[in-house]
Amino acid sequence: MKNKTVLITGASSGIGWETAKIFSNSGAKVILCGRRKNKLLDLQKEISNPSHILVFDVRNRKNVVKEIQSIPNQFSKIDILINNAGNAHGLDNSTEASLDDWDLMIDTNLKGLMYVTKAVLPLMISRGEGHIINVGSIAGKEVYPKGNVYCASKFGVNAFNTGLRIDLNKTGIKVGIINPGKVKTEFSNVRFKGDSPRAEKVYEGLKVLSAEDVANTIFYMANVPDHVNISDLEILPSSEANTYVFNRKL
Ligand code: NDP
Ligand code: 8X3
């Protein structure tokens, strides 16, 4: 990854954090994006290769463009875009769920990912090369009870991923998606709005994926030869058969 530049959204935590570390350790220059600047500064202290921080909310279309355009020359040749920022908000039946939660998920997971892609694309198109790796979810492949709009957002990411791959076929830019099952990160804590006991229950009796497991797989996707594109990769913990069948050791 020497001489490669990688932009990672959602680098302030979980999968994005570990992905930034693995790419940086392999010699890449990394652009670390997120809203929590303090976390990005902490991450920057953990990595030794050159890195650049961008603080923006992916939902804010104007700021996305402004921040991507502000990238200094040293970092502007983006080889790999990892669209990872996203979260679930709530786990409620559609009859009870809050529209604010629904807006948050569509605006962040789907529209935010689209905004970042659209802002970075010209930097790849002009060079006729690049690789976009989208972080989807098994929730973008199957719907589970109360998953409604989180699943819808990730189904949307899956569709957008395929659409992009079709549209960019003649540009030299590769597009692929990774769809993980359960990963232990801040994800459940965010979904349950800081209710840590409820978040912990999700993983009770289960050995789930670590953020590092997913980061290693993203790194693998980025390191296959140019003529190979891992277009769609699902990764589950061995304890998970699908979104509702688990081998819990309680
Ligand atoms: P975390 O909650 O640990 O990380 C989420 C990251 O997204 C944070 O860095 C956060 O940064 C960023 N983010 C959230 N909202 C915004 C926003 N509006 N603007 C900019 N950045 C934002 O969760 P994960 O690491 O688990 O999640 C990463 C991705 O993986 C998500 O897309 C998630 O849907 C997907 N995923 C997760 C799974 C899991 O079980 N954990 C399974 C399958 C997919 P900050 O708050 O600083 O802005
Ligand atoms: C996160 C995985 O199954 O909790 O995308 O929706 S799941």
Side-chain angles (χ1 to χ4, degrees), residues 137 139 144 150 182 187 191 243:
S137 169
Y144 53 87
Y150 178 66
K182 290 235 178 302
F187 180 85
R191 170 169 247 173
T243 51

Side-chain angles (χ1 to χ4, degrees), residues 71-89:
I71 295 172
N73 279 343
Q74 191 202 346
F75 289 90
S76 65
K77 193 181 90 42
I78 297 172
D79 298 287
I80 304 169
L81 163 63
I82 301 172
N83 271 322
N84 163 74
N87 275 123
H89 297 278

Side-chain angles (χ1 to χ4, degrees), residues 23-169:
F23 276 91
S24 174
N25 288 340
S26 77
K29 289 189 274 187
V30 287
I31 305 172
L32 312 170
C33 308
R35 291 166 301 178
R36 289 170 293 174
K37 187 173 180 188
N38 59 329
K39 293 273 184 184
L40 297 174
L41 287 168
D42 288 346
L43 173 58
Q44 207 168 31
K45 282 186 214 132
E46 284 200 18
I47 59 187
S48 44
N49 275 304
S51 60
H52 182 69
I53 286 179
L54 293 182
V55 180
F56 64 89
D57 186 324
V58 295
R59 291 171 295 165
N60 186 322
R61 194 165 142 177
K62 277 201 187 115
N63 278 353
V64 169
V65 173
K66 194 175 98 201
E67 291 299 321
I68 301 289
Q69 285 179 348
S70 78
I71 295 172
N73 279 343
Q74 191 202 346
F75 289 90
S76 65
K77 193 181 90 42
I78 297 172
D79 298 287
I80 304 169
L81 163 63
I82 301 172
N83 271 322
N84 163 74
N87 275 123
H89 297 278
L91 181 69
D92 302 295
N93 193 292
S94 298
T95 49
E96 281 101 42
S98 117
L99 274 178
D100 287 339
D101 281 346
W102 284 6
D103 276 343
L104 259 176
M105 291 186 278
I106 296 292
D107 291 349
T108 308
N109 303 354
L110 182 55
K111 289 171 69 182
L113 180 147
M114 287 156 45
Y115 296 159
V116 174
T117 304
K118 197 86 165 111
V120 170
L121 256 183
L123 302 171
M124 292 180 168
I125 301 261
S126 59
R127 300 196 334 270
E129 60 180 10
H131 191 176
I132 299 172
I133 299 177
N134 294 308
V135 179
S137 169
I138 188 177
K141 297 282 185 169
E142 55 177 86
V143 183
Y144 53 87
K146 302 182 180 175
N148 44 60
V149 174
Y150 178 66
C151 295
S153 73
K154 292 296 185 175
F155 268 71
V157 171
N158 259 293
F160 183 63
N161 176 73
T162 306
L164 263 184
R165 191 166 56 248
I166 294 167
D167 293 344
L168 299 180
N169 175 254

